[in-house]
Amino acid sequence: MHILVVEDHPALQQLLSGHLRNCGFEVDIAANGRDALKALTDHSFDALILDLGLPDMDGMQVLKRSQPLKTPCLVLTARDALNSRITALNAGADDYVIKPFEVAELEARLRAVLRRSSTVDMHKLIRGNVTYEREFRFFQIAGKVLDLPRRESLLLEEMLRVAPRIVIKDRLEEHLYPSGEAVTLNAIEALVSRLRRKLTDMGATIKIDTVRGIGYRIIHQAVTDV
């Protein structure tokens, strides 16, 4: 899961990003509202953790302007007045955590927000700018259809489904080559190599990372204009 943390305090940035990464999340940081809005425009996130006290604009502005993207949002703030909580929730926040807080509770609330949001559309898997339409079984990268042979399609579907967790190589072999079908030593590596090249050629903001001796995982990467 890819999370954007919008927080201007360096120590809290480090605390949140470190804890969430240790829990298996992929984390990007924005220290102000302008950078947050740019990140939300340029990339797809599974959730947004948003501090309302930002140096360049009120976090409520970021929250309201992010609503068309439908990114689930967990608000962080020192504003403990009831009216502030109601305002944030009415503006589109999915939950509200008051500072100071325990990171374990924040993680639990984040997972709850993610569980609720995942039930909204069970027909899509979205990682970065890559979308998989489960009902029609096709992939898109930034709105362009990615046509894949059957095994490459199964491989990408499985990796998107479990991202950012690691897919163990033995599990991939069982998934891609059922019923005891013979598998050559480099069959999986060849599939991964071809899929990597296609993702790169179409400008995907995700890539397949090799975890040596274990398997593979999807990670996020920034795409720069040439």
Side-chain angles (χ1 to χ4, degrees):
M1 291 286 183
H2 193 198
I3 311 299
L4 177 64
V5 174
V6 185
E7 170 60 58
D8 65 313
H9 194 284
L12 190 50
Q13 281 181 11
Q14 186 174 3
L15 176 67
L16 291 174
S17 61
H19 180 83
L20 293 175
R21 285 170 181 146
N22 286 338
C23 293
F25 292 98
E26 185 177 353
V27 182
D28 282 8
I29 298 289
N32 56 58
R34 183 186 66 256
D35 290 347
L37 291 170
K38 185 177 188 305
L40 287 164
T41 301
D42 291 346
H43 307 293
S44 175
F45 295 93
D46 296 291
L48 167 66
I49 297 176
L50 174 64
D51 182 12
L52 295 185
L54 299 174
D56 59 340
M57 66 176 70
D58 192 293
M60 289 296 297
Q61 294 178 260
V62 177
L63 177 60
K64 292 174 181 177
R65 291 170 65 181
S66 71
Q67 288 310 294
L69 302 172
K70 299 183 179 179
T71 305
C73 180
L74 178 65
V75 163
L76 304 179
T77 183
R79 306 170 193 174
D80 60 356
L82 177 61
N83 285 343
S84 295
R85 299 198 297 273
I86 291 173
T87 299
L89 293 169
N90 285 339
D94 295 271
D95 203 350
Y96 197 106
V97 178
I98 298 173
K99 298 178 181 180
F101 56 85
E102 295 290 336
V103 289
E105 180 187 357
L106 180 139
E107 179 202 343
R109 287 180 176 271
L110 173 62
R111 291 188 186 278
V113 166
L114 289 167
R115 283 195 299 272
R116 291 196 296 270
S117 67
S118 68
T119 64
V120 174
D121 189 350
M122 298 300 292
H123 301 294
K124 288 184 181 181
L125 287 171
I126 302 174
R127 299 289 182 266
N129 63 353
V130 179
T131 301
Y132 176 58
E133 297 277 357
R134 286 173 157 169
E135 183 177 1
F136 303 105
R137 303 191 68 82
F138 74 89
F139 299 90
Q140 290 182 313
I141 298 180
K144 298 179 182 178
V145 174
L146 171 62
D147 189 21
L148 295 175
R150 176 178 171 276
R151 284 203 174 102
E152 290 177 32
S153 177
L154 290 172
L155 170 63
L156 183 55
E157 178 186 359
E158 180 66 9
M159 298 200 69
L160 291 175
R161 185 182 68 81
V162 305
R165 300 190 303 276
I166 297 169
V167 181
I168 298 172
K169 186 178 178 183
D170 290 345
R171 288 284 302 277
L172 276 179
E173 290 181 359
E174 294 172 2
H175 183 63
L176 299 176
Y177 299 90
S179 305
E181 185 177 347
V183 185
T184 60
L185 290 175
N186 66 344
I188 299 296
E189 287 87 345
L191 277 174
V192 169
S193 178
R194 290 196 295 271
L195 185 54
R196 275 192 182 122
R197 184 168 60 251
K198 291 174 183 179
L199 291 173
T200 299
D201 289 347
M202 288 193 66
T205 59
I206 61 171
K207 68 177 182 178
I208 302 174
D209 180 46
T210 299
V211 184
R212 193 171 300 278
I214 301 176
Y216 307 93
R217 63 182 173 185
I218 291 288
I219 62 174
H220 189 86
Q221 66 173 353
V223 174
T224 55
D225 295 331
V226 178

PDB file of all heavy atoms in Angstrom, residues 1-2 20 23-26 46 127 159-167 211 216-220:
ATOM      1  N   MET A   1       0.835  -1.192   0.000  1.00  0.00           N
ATOM      2  CA  MET A   1       0.000   0.000   0.000  1.00  0.00           C
ATOM      3  C   MET A   1       0.879   1.255   0.000  1.00  0.00           C
ATOM      4  O   MET A   1       1.850   1.332   0.738  1.00  0.00           O
ATOM      5  CB  MET A   1      -0.893   0.021   1.230  1.00  0.00           C
ATOM      6  CG  MET A   1      -1.968  -1.053   1.226  1.00  0.00           C
ATOM      7  SD  MET A   1      -3.245  -0.614   0.045  1.00  0.00           S
ATOM      8  CE  MET A   1      -4.385  -1.970   0.305  1.00  0.00           C
ATOM      9  N   HIS A   2       0.511   2.204  -0.830  1.00  0.00           N
ATOM     10  CA  HIS A   2       1.310   3.419  -1.018  1.00  0.00           C
ATOM     11  C   HIS A   2       0.643   4.584  -0.293  1.00  0.00           C
ATOM     12  O   HIS A   2      -0.491   4.955  -0.612  1.00  0.00           O
ATOM     13  CB  HIS A   2       1.447   3.697  -2.510  1.00  0.00           C
ATOM     14  CG  HIS A   2       2.468   4.720  -2.850  1.00  0.00           C
ATOM     15  ND1 HIS A   2       2.509   5.371  -4.055  1.00  0.00           N
ATOM     16  CD2 HIS A   2       3.512   5.219  -2.135  1.00  0.00           C
ATOM     17  CE1 HIS A   2       3.526   6.210  -4.069  1.00  0.00           C
ATOM     18  NE2 HIS A   2       4.135   6.143  -2.918  1.00  0.00           N
ATOM     19  N   LEU A  20       5.628   3.189   9.552  1.00  0.00           N
ATOM     20  CA  LEU A  20       4.794   2.643   8.487  1.00  0.00           C
ATOM     21  C   LEU A  20       5.607   1.777   7.523  1.00  0.00           C
ATOM     22  O   LEU A  20       5.123   0.738   7.057  1.00  0.00           O
ATOM     23  CB  LEU A  20       4.101   3.775   7.734  1.00  0.00           C
ATOM     24  CG  LEU A  20       3.051   4.550   8.540  1.00  0.00           C
ATOM     25  CD1 LEU A  20       2.512   5.728   7.729  1.00  0.00           C
ATOM     26  CD2 LEU A  20       1.902   3.638   8.967  1.00  0.00           C
ATOM     27  N   CYS A  23       6.114  -1.511   8.865  1.00  0.00           N
ATOM     28  CA  CYS A  23       4.865  -2.284   8.814  1.00  0.00           C
ATOM     29  C   CYS A  23       4.524  -2.735   7.392  1.00  0.00           C
ATOM     30  O   CYS A  23       3.467  -3.329   7.163  1.00  0.00           O
ATOM     31  CB  CYS A  23       3.714  -1.462   9.371  1.00  0.00           C
ATOM     32  SG  CYS A  23       3.846  -1.127  11.138  1.00  0.00           S
ATOM     33  N   GLY A  24       5.397  -2.437   6.439  1.00  0.00           N
ATOM     34  CA  GLY A  24       5.203  -2.912   5.076  1.00  0.00           C
ATOM     35  C   GLY A  24       4.584  -1.922   4.113  1.00  0.00           C
ATOM     36  O   GLY A  24       4.320  -2.259   2.957  1.00  0.00           O
ATOM     37  N   PHE A  25       4.369  -0.683   4.557  1.00  0.00           N
ATOM     38  CA  PHE A  25       3.805   0.327   3.673  1.00  0.00           C
ATOM     39  C   PHE A  25       4.914   1.010   2.872  1.00  0.00           C
ATOM     40  O   PHE A  25       6.055   1.110   3.332  1.00  0.00           O
ATOM     41  CB  PHE A  25       3.051   1.399   4.467  1.00  0.00           C
ATOM     42  CG  PHE A  25       1.796   0.912   5.130  1.00  0.00           C
ATOM     43  CD1 PHE A  25       1.792   0.553   6.467  1.00  0.00           C
ATOM     44  CD2 PHE A  25       0.612   0.818   4.412  1.00  0.00           C
ATOM     45  CE1 PHE A  25       0.638   0.105   7.089  1.00  0.00           C
ATOM     46  CE2 PHE A  25      -0.551   0.367   5.024  1.00  0.00           C
ATOM     47  CZ  PHE A  25      -0.536   0.005   6.364  1.00  0.00           C
ATOM     48  N   GLU A  26       4.545   1.487   1.697  1.00  0.00           N
ATOM     49  CA  GLU A  26       5.429   2.350   0.914  1.00  0.00           C
ATOM     50  C   GLU A  26       5.012   3.784   1.218  1.00  0.00           C
ATOM     51  O   GLU A  26       3.818   4.108   1.132  1.00  0.00           O
ATOM     52  CB  GLU A  26       5.286   2.049  -0.567  1.00  0.00           C
ATOM     53  CG  GLU A  26       6.260   2.808  -1.452  1.00  0.00           C
ATOM     54  CD  GLU A  26       6.131   2.408  -2.909  1.00  0.00           C
ATOM     55  OE1 GLU A  26       5.384   1.452  -3.189  1.00  0.00           O
ATOM     56  OE2 GLU A  26       6.761   3.071  -3.753  1.00  0.00           O
ATOM     57  N   ASP A  46      -2.858   5.027  -1.991  1.00  0.00           N
ATOM     58  CA  ASP A  46      -3.936   4.262  -1.367  1.00  0.00           C
ATOM     59  C   ASP A  46      -4.563   5.023  -0.204  1.00  0.00           C
ATOM     60  O   ASP A  46      -5.721   4.775   0.143  1.00  0.00           O
ATOM     61  CB  ASP A  46      -3.410   2.908  -0.885  1.00  0.00           C
ATOM     62  CG  ASP A  46      -2.939   2.045  -2.047  1.00  0.00           C
ATOM     63  OD1 ASP A  46      -3.795   1.613  -2.829  1.00  0.00           O
ATOM     64  OD2 ASP A  46      -1.718   1.817  -2.169  1.00  0.00           O
ATOM     65  N   ARG A 127      -2.151   0.533  -8.494  1.00  0.00           N
ATOM     66  CA  ARG A 127      -0.845   0.779  -7.886  1.00  0.00           C
ATOM     67  C   ARG A 127      -0.115   1.780  -8.775  1.00  0.00           C
ATOM     68  O   ARG A 127       0.149   1.496  -9.946  1.00  0.00           O
ATOM     69  CB  ARG A 127      -0.013  -0.513  -7.767  1.00  0.00           C
ATOM     70  CG  ARG A 127      -0.654  -1.598  -6.901  1.00  0.00           C
ATOM     71  CD  ARG A 127      -0.620  -1.216  -5.426  1.00  0.00           C
ATOM     72  NE  ARG A 127      -1.178  -2.272  -4.590  1.00  0.00           N
ATOM     73  CZ  ARG A 127      -2.432  -2.334  -4.195  1.00  0.00           C
ATOM     74  NH1 ARG A 127      -3.281  -1.394  -4.573  1.00  0.00           N
ATOM     75  NH2 ARG A 127      -2.859  -3.326  -3.436  1.00  0.00           N
ATOM     76  N   MET A 159       1.016  -9.804  -8.425  1.00  0.00           N
ATOM     77  CA  MET A 159       1.910  -8.865  -7.761  1.00  0.00           C
ATOM     78  C   MET A 159       1.177  -7.591  -7.350  1.00  0.00           C
ATOM     79  O   MET A 159       1.441  -7.042  -6.274  1.00  0.00           O
ATOM     80  CB  MET A 159       3.094  -8.548  -8.669  1.00  0.00           C
ATOM     81  CG  MET A 159       3.933  -9.780  -8.988  1.00  0.00           C
ATOM     82  SD  MET A 159       5.585  -9.372  -9.539  1.00  0.00           S
ATOM     83  CE  MET A 159       6.291  -8.737  -8.042  1.00  0.00           C
ATOM     84  N   LEU A 160       0.251  -7.122  -8.175  1.00  0.00           N
ATOM     85  CA  LEU A 160      -0.545  -5.955  -7.798  1.00  0.00           C
ATOM     86  C   LEU A 160      -1.446  -6.274  -6.607  1.00  0.00           C
ATOM     87  O   LEU A 160      -1.652  -5.434  -5.729  1.00  0.00           O
ATOM     88  CB  LEU A 160      -1.409  -5.500  -8.982  1.00  0.00           C
ATOM     89  CG  LEU A 160      -0.691  -4.895 -10.180  1.00  0.00           C
ATOM     90  CD1 LEU A 160      -1.687  -4.628 -11.306  1.00  0.00           C
ATOM     91  CD2 LEU A 160       0.049  -3.612  -9.820  1.00  0.00           C
ATOM     92  N   ARG A 161      -1.958  -7.488  -6.576  1.00  0.00           N
ATOM     93  CA  ARG A 161      -2.895  -7.877  -5.521  1.00  0.00           C
ATOM     94  C   ARG A 161      -2.241  -7.843  -4.149  1.00  0.00           C
ATOM     95  O   ARG A 161      -2.861  -7.411  -3.171  1.00  0.00           O
ATOM     96  CB  ARG A 161      -3.443  -9.271  -5.797  1.00  0.00           C
ATOM     97  CG  ARG A 161      -4.534  -9.732  -4.831  1.00  0.00           C
ATOM     98  CD  ARG A 161      -4.993 -11.140  -5.145  1.00  0.00           C
ATOM     99  NE  ARG A 161      -3.951 -12.105  -4.882  1.00  0.00           N
ATOM    100  CZ  ARG A 161      -3.662 -12.584  -3.674  1.00  0.00           C
ATOM    101  NH1 ARG A 161      -4.327 -12.159  -2.612  1.00  0.00           N
ATOM    102  NH2 ARG A 161      -2.697 -13.473  -3.522  1.00  0.00           N
ATOM    103  N   VAL A 162      -0.987  -8.293  -4.034  1.00  0.00           N
ATOM    104  CA  VAL A 162      -0.345  -8.400  -2.721  1.00  0.00           C
ATOM    105  C   VAL A 162       0.564  -7.219  -2.396  1.00  0.00           C
ATOM    106  O   VAL A 162       1.076  -7.124  -1.285  1.00  0.00           O
ATOM    107  CB  VAL A 162       0.460  -9.713  -2.598  1.00  0.00           C
ATOM    108  CG1 VAL A 162      -0.407 -10.906  -2.886  1.00  0.00           C
ATOM    109  CG2 VAL A 162       1.671  -9.713  -3.525  1.00  0.00           C
ATOM    110  N   ALA A 163       0.810  -6.333  -3.381  1.00  0.00           N
ATOM    111  CA  ALA A 163       1.737  -5.216  -3.164  1.00  0.00           C
ATOM    112  C   ALA A 163       1.360  -4.420  -1.908  1.00  0.00           C
ATOM    113  O   ALA A 163       0.184  -4.218  -1.628  1.00  0.00           O
ATOM    114  CB  ALA A 163       1.734  -4.293  -4.389  1.00  0.00           C
ATOM    115  N   PRO A 164       2.370  -3.975  -1.124  1.00  0.00           N
ATOM    116  CA  PRO A 164       3.810  -4.029  -1.386  1.00  0.00           C
ATOM    117  C   PRO A 164       4.503  -5.272  -0.820  1.00  0.00           C
ATOM    118  O   PRO A 164       5.727  -5.301  -0.707  1.00  0.00           O
ATOM    119  CB  PRO A 164       4.326  -2.779  -0.674  1.00  0.00           C
ATOM    120  CG  PRO A 164       3.435  -2.684   0.525  1.00  0.00           C
ATOM    121  CD  PRO A 164       2.074  -3.169   0.076  1.00  0.00           C
ATOM    122  N   ARG A 165       3.738  -6.298  -0.450  1.00  0.00           N
ATOM    123  CA  ARG A 165       4.354  -7.497   0.114  1.00  0.00           C
ATOM    124  C   ARG A 165       5.106  -8.270  -0.962  1.00  0.00           C
ATOM    125  O   ARG A 165       4.849  -8.120  -2.164  1.00  0.00           O
ATOM    126  CB  ARG A 165       3.299  -8.392   0.775  1.00  0.00           C
ATOM    127  CG  ARG A 165       2.553  -7.710   1.913  1.00  0.00           C
ATOM    128  CD  ARG A 165       1.711  -8.694   2.689  1.00  0.00           C
ATOM    129  NE  ARG A 165       0.756  -9.403   1.858  1.00  0.00           N
ATOM    130  CZ  ARG A 165      -0.435  -8.939   1.524  1.00  0.00           C
ATOM    131  NH1 ARG A 165      -0.814  -7.726   1.922  1.00  0.00           N
ATOM    132  NH2 ARG A 165      -1.276  -9.655   0.779  1.00  0.00           N
ATOM    133  N   ILE A 166       6.005  -9.136  -0.529  1.00  0.00           N
ATOM    134  CA  ILE A 166       6.814  -9.947  -1.434  1.00  0.00           C
ATOM    135  C   ILE A 166       6.015 -11.157  -1.898  1.00  0.00           C
ATOM    136  O   ILE A 166       5.331 -11.806  -1.106  1.00  0.00           O
ATOM    137  CB  ILE A 166       8.109 -10.413  -0.729  1.00  0.00           C
ATOM    138  CG1 ILE A 166       8.973  -9.214  -0.342  1.00  0.00           C
ATOM    139  CG2 ILE A 166       8.904 -11.373  -1.621  1.00  0.00           C
ATOM    140  CD1 ILE A 166      10.127  -9.559   0.574  1.00  0.00           C
ATOM    141  N   VAL A 167       6.107 -11.445  -3.198  1.00  0.00           N
ATOM    142  CA  VAL A 167       5.552 -12.683  -3.742  1.00  0.00           C
ATOM    143  C   VAL A 167       6.680 -13.699  -3.809  1.00  0.00           C
ATOM    144  O   VAL A 167       7.676 -13.484  -4.500  1.00  0.00           O
ATOM    145  CB  VAL A 167       4.954 -12.472  -5.148  1.00  0.00           C
ATOM    146  CG1 VAL A 167       4.360 -13.779  -5.660  1.00  0.00           C
ATOM    147  CG2 VAL A 167       3.903 -11.389  -5.136  1.00  0.00           C
ATOM    148  N   VAL A 211      13.807  -9.525  -4.790  1.00  0.00           N
ATOM    149  CA  VAL A 211      14.287  -9.751  -3.427  1.00  0.00           C
ATOM    150  C   VAL A 211      15.106 -11.032  -3.488  1.00  0.00           C
ATOM    151  O   VAL A 211      14.546 -12.138  -3.518  1.00  0.00           O
ATOM    152  CB  VAL A 211      13.120  -9.862  -2.431  1.00  0.00           C
ATOM    153  CG1 VAL A 211      13.656 -10.004  -1.006  1.00  0.00           C
ATOM    154  CG2 VAL A 211      12.206  -8.657  -2.541  1.00  0.00           C
ATOM    155  N   TYR A 216       9.772 -11.598  -5.517  1.00  0.00           N
ATOM    156  CA  TYR A 216       9.639 -10.303  -6.165  1.00  0.00           C
ATOM    157  C   TYR A 216       8.568  -9.476  -5.457  1.00  0.00           C
ATOM    158  O   TYR A 216       7.701 -10.010  -4.781  1.00  0.00           O
ATOM    159  CB  TYR A 216       9.240 -10.478  -7.645  1.00  0.00           C
ATOM    160  CG  TYR A 216      10.145 -11.397  -8.415  1.00  0.00           C
ATOM    161  CD1 TYR A 216       9.839 -12.755  -8.536  1.00  0.00           C
ATOM    162  CD2 TYR A 216      11.303 -10.918  -9.005  1.00  0.00           C
ATOM    163  CE1 TYR A 216      10.672 -13.600  -9.237  1.00  0.00           C
ATOM    164  CE2 TYR A 216      12.147 -11.759  -9.706  1.00  0.00           C
ATOM    165  CZ  TYR A 216      11.830 -13.109  -9.821  1.00  0.00           C
ATOM    166  OH  TYR A 216      12.657 -13.950 -10.500  1.00  0.00           O
ATOM    167  N   ARG A 217       8.637  -8.158  -5.678  1.00  0.00           N
ATOM    168  CA  ARG A 217       7.615  -7.277  -5.127  1.00  0.00           C
ATOM    169  C   ARG A 217       7.474  -6.048  -6.020  1.00  0.00           C
ATOM    170  O   ARG A 217       8.402  -5.688  -6.757  1.00  0.00           O
ATOM    171  CB  ARG A 217       7.978  -6.835  -3.703  1.00  0.00           C
ATOM    172  CG  ARG A 217       9.245  -6.008  -3.613  1.00  0.00           C
ATOM    173  CD  ARG A 217       9.577  -5.655  -2.179  1.00  0.00           C
ATOM    174  NE  ARG A 217      10.881  -5.014  -2.099  1.00  0.00           N
ATOM    175  CZ  ARG A 217      11.486  -4.670  -0.959  1.00  0.00           C
ATOM    176  NH1 ARG A 217      10.889  -4.917   0.187  1.00  0.00           N
ATOM    177  NH2 ARG A 217      12.674  -4.102  -0.969  1.00  0.00           N
ATOM    178  N   ILE A 218       6.317  -5.423  -5.926  1.00  0.00           N
ATOM    179  CA  ILE A 218       6.060  -4.173  -6.630  1.00  0.00           C
ATOM    180  C   ILE A 218       6.512  -3.007  -5.755  1.00  0.00           C
ATOM    181  O   ILE A 218       6.166  -2.937  -4.578  1.00  0.00           O
ATOM    182  CB  ILE A 218       4.562  -4.022  -6.943  1.00  0.00           C
ATOM    183  CG1 ILE A 218       4.114  -5.044  -7.992  1.00  0.00           C
ATOM    184  CG2 ILE A 218       4.226  -2.602  -7.388  1.00  0.00           C
ATOM    185  CD1 ILE A 218       4.608  -4.772  -9.383  1.00  0.00           C
ATOM    186  N   ILE A 219       7.295  -2.096  -6.314  1.00  0.00           N
ATOM    187  CA  ILE A 219       7.662  -0.880  -5.607  1.00  0.00           C
ATOM    188  C   ILE A 219       7.345   0.314  -6.499  1.00  0.00           C
ATOM    189  O   ILE A 219       7.187   0.191  -7.709  1.00  0.00           O
ATOM    190  CB  ILE A 219       9.148  -0.849  -5.195  1.00  0.00           C
ATOM    191  CG1 ILE A 219      10.067  -0.881  -6.425  1.00  0.00           C
ATOM    192  CG2 ILE A 219       9.466  -1.997  -4.254  1.00  0.00           C
ATOM    193  CD1 ILE A 219      11.544  -0.697  -6.089  1.00  0.00           C
ATOM    194  N   HIS A 220       7.227   1.469  -5.869  1.00  0.00           N
ATOM    195  CA  HIS A 220       6.895   2.694  -6.593  1.00  0.00           C
ATOM    196  C   HIS A 220       8.166   3.376  -7.051  1.00  0.00           C
ATOM    197  O   HIS A 220       9.176   3.362  -6.362  1.00  0.00           O
ATOM    198  CB  HIS A 220       6.099   3.638  -5.702  1.00  0.00           C
ATOM    199  CG  HIS A 220       5.533   4.816  -6.414  1.00  0.00           C
ATOM    200  ND1 HIS A 220       4.333   4.786  -7.067  1.00  0.00           N
ATOM    201  CD2 HIS A 220       6.022   6.063  -6.588  1.00  0.00           C
ATOM    202  CE1 HIS A 220       4.094   5.964  -7.608  1.00  0.00           C
ATOM    203  NE2 HIS A 220       5.098   6.751  -7.333  1.00  0.00           N
TER     204      HIS A 220
END
